[in-house]
Amino acid sequence: MNKVAYYLTVFVGVLTCLQFIPHAFLGYPAVLEHIDKGEIQEPAAQGMQMIWIYSSTMMLLSGIWMLFLAKPIKNGNYSARLQGVLLAVGLIIFGTLCGYIAQEVFNHLFFFTIEGILLLLATTVFFNTNKK
């Protein structure tokens, strides 16, 4: 049993699902406001709206995916572990690149790096393979 790995995966999954709410319902109106002000102009305006909707959807789906992976990770399933590692690496890379682009490590997207590290710990340090 991988209880710590399970709880870390559930924590990161719930957190990611919760992050969807402000991203989708506060962020998208902010994007529209920037478009209205002319700060984002065509043809980028439509693309920005589509990207925002896509990223909101994928944020929610990633969180749900982590919640589905939590129990198999708890049971030591190698396939779930691999999926968790891939999600973790993706979160770490995303958060790190956002820090590079923003030219400051501790920007508001740094939390994705933290989530990725927690998920990576769950699927490496706190994970034991189920040997049957």
Side-chain angles (χ1 to χ4, degrees), residues 18 20 28 41 61 67 70 129:
L18 290 175
F20 156 81
Y28 187 71
Q41 300 170 1
L61 290 175
L67 294 175
T129 306

Side-chain angles (χ1 to χ4, degrees), residues 41-59:
Q41 300 170 1
E42 287 296 337
Q46 282 185 344
M48 186 67 182
Q49 291 176 67
M50 291 177 209
I51 290 167
W52 204 272
I53 291 168
Y54 177 78
S55 62
S56 295
T57 304
M58 293 312 296
M59 187 181 299

Side-chain angles (χ1 to χ4, degrees), residues 42-106:
E42 287 296 337
Q46 282 185 344
M48 186 67 182
Q49 291 176 67
M50 291 177 209
I51 290 167
W52 204 272
I53 291 168
Y54 177 78
S55 62
S56 295
T57 304
M58 293 312 296
M59 187 181 299
L60 180 60
L61 290 175
S62 295
I64 292 169
W65 185 8
M66 288 178 225
L67 294 175
F68 276 111
L69 290 175
K71 189 170 182 186
I73 284 173
K74 182 179 179 182
N75 294 333
N77 182 284
Y78 179 78
S79 176
R81 176 191 191 192
L82 180 59
Q83 293 173 62
V85 167
L86 292 173
L87 282 167
V89 169
L91 287 167
I92 292 168
I93 290 171
F94 172 72
T96 304
L97 287 176
C98 287
Y100 175 76
I101 291 168
Q103 295 182 349
E104 59 179 278
V105 174
F106 299 109

Side-chain angles (χ1 to χ4, degrees), residues 33-41:
E33 184 179 316
H34 287 291
I35 291 169
D36 289 342
K37 289 180 182 178
E39 296 169 349
I40 302 172
Q41 300 170 1

